[in-house]
Amino acid sequence: MTSDSAETGAGASGFWHALHAEHRGALLRYVRGLVPGDPHRAEDIVQEALLRAWIAAPTLHERATGSPRAWLFTVARNLVIDTRRRAAARPTEVEEELASHAAAHVLDDQTLDTVVVARALAELTAAHREILVRFYCLDHTGARIAADLGIPPGTVKSRTHHATRALRGALEKTGIHE
């Protein structure tokens, strides 16, 4: 390191310390206004803006005709915008407790629906239950069901119709009309 670069480094370091002492408080208040309710993120943004000022200190020091406050505020505003864009591009983060609680409610509703339908299916005859399971749960076609069970396709259509009506009646007994 030559004496010129040592002087430049010392000047940049002194410039940065002065910048930090003079502008950090105002910059933090400004950023807190941009990210209300999140003081930690505001502090991180201020630190990042000051870090960028430290990196750019030699050029900022040389070209600074007035106060570099406008440059700092612009950098901070751009950092806030960047963090918002990044957050918008990512899925929303949910705390584990809330996520498991929400999942439990969804699971409870799904489980309840499954239990209700299973009980209604249990009330059907074996032939009707088998037709509905193959048709609606396994997505088999009428022709495939007919071939698998060795019955005519017309019988599959008829059983499907009667099994659906019987299932609807069993579900209505439980109070479900959908």
Side-chain angles (χ1 to χ4, degrees):
M1 204 162 150
T2 66
S3 64
D4 283 344
S5 62
E7 287 176 20
T8 305
S13 177
F15 174 73
W16 182 81
H17 285 294
L19 191 73
H20 184 273
E22 186 177 342
H23 301 291
R24 184 186 178 284
L27 187 60
L28 185 57
R29 284 189 298 279
Y30 172 69
V31 174
R32 282 184 179 158
L34 294 175
V35 289
D38 197 349
H40 299 292
R41 185 161 45 131
E43 185 68 38
D44 289 344
I45 289 169
V46 167
Q47 291 300 322
E48 179 65 25
L50 289 169
L51 174 67
R52 291 183 184 194
W54 179 69
I55 292 169
T59 57
L60 269 178
H61 183 61
E62 290 170 5
R63 69 178 175 190
T65 55
S67 173
R69 182 176 282 203
W71 183 89
L72 277 171
F73 278 51
T74 300
V75 168
R77 182 179 49 86
N78 290 343
L79 287 169
V80 169
I81 291 168
D82 290 346
T83 58
R84 285 183 182 154
R85 285 181 182 158
R86 253 184 265 121
R90 292 182 0 182
T92 304
E93 294 179 11
V94 179
E95 292 186 30
E96 284 185 41
E97 284 183 30
L98 295 176
S100 64
H101 184 67
H105 282 302
V106 171
L107 183 59
D108 290 344
D109 290 344
Q110 291 173 345
T111 303
L112 180 61
D113 291 346
T114 302
V115 169
V116 169
V117 171
R119 285 184 180 165
L121 281 170
E123 292 183 22
L124 303 180
T125 64
H128 283 170
R129 187 172 39 253
E130 185 173 25
I131 290 287
L132 291 178
V133 167
R134 287 176 181 265
F135 192 75
Y136 291 106
C137 298
L138 301 176
D139 250 356
H140 291 176
T141 63
R144 179 172 176 186
I145 296 170
D148 288 349
L149 298 179
I151 58 176
T155 303
V156 171
K157 287 182 184 179
S158 173
R159 281 189 192 167
T160 303
H161 171 74
H162 291 292
T164 304
R165 286 183 60 196
L167 181 63
R168 186 176 295 123
L171 288 172
E172 284 177 357
K173 287 181 191 175
T174 65
I176 296 178
H177 300 285
E178 293 177 17

